[in-house]
Amino acid sequence: QVQLVESGGGLVQAGGSLRLSCAASGSTSSINTSGWYRQAPGKQRELVAVISSGGRTDYASSVKGRFTISRDNAKDTVYLQMNSLKPEDTAVYYCYASNYLAYWGQGTQVTVSS
């Protein structure tokens, strides 16, 4: 079992920055992929960024060049640095981790005002 706890969401003006954190506990050595998804009101949950255990990353086209995913293996924590935020980035952001099962955090709200 893996437990995930997100932090770092909030309200920011367009053009601003936020950093989300996702702390994992439990069987963290079994995790092979971590990432962030988001869900805006009335929309489906969508992939934002993923990072493999080897450090390979991938991003949604809408955030490429603005967001950076990283991980600190010593702290079992994954980060999402979000720069140049836009109102359309407003959503609940969910941390994700997988081994042979998928695990989700409780979500953290990010609101970008215009």
Side-chain angles (χ1 to χ4, degrees), residues 17-105:
S17 298
L18 282 174
R19 189 176 81 156
L20 306 182
S21 299
C22 174
S25 60
S27 301
T28 58
S29 61
S30 68
I31 296 173
N32 48 48
T33 301
S34 299
W36 293 90
Y37 284 69
R38 68 186 181 187
Q39 188 167 17
K43 295 188 176 182
Q44 289 188 329
R45 191 173 296 189
E46 63 175 359
L47 174 68
V48 176
V50 293
I51 185 167
S52 70
S53 57
R56 187 170 186 172
T57 60
D58 197 12
Y59 298 91
S61 58
S62 59
V63 307
K64 199 170 290 185
R66 300 189 296 123
F67 291 10
T68 302
I69 188 170
S70 62
R71 64 194 303 161
D72 184 334
N73 291 327
K75 296 182 178 180
D76 289 327
T77 300
V78 174
Y79 303 98
L80 185 67
Q81 178 67 43
M82 305 185 293
N83 299 328
S84 302
L85 282 160
K86 304 176 182 180
E88 50 264 44
D89 294 318
T90 294
V92 178
Y93 283 70
Y94 296 91
C95 179
Y96 162 88
S98 68
N99 41 35
Y100 54 90
L101 295 173
Y103 303 92
W104 295 92

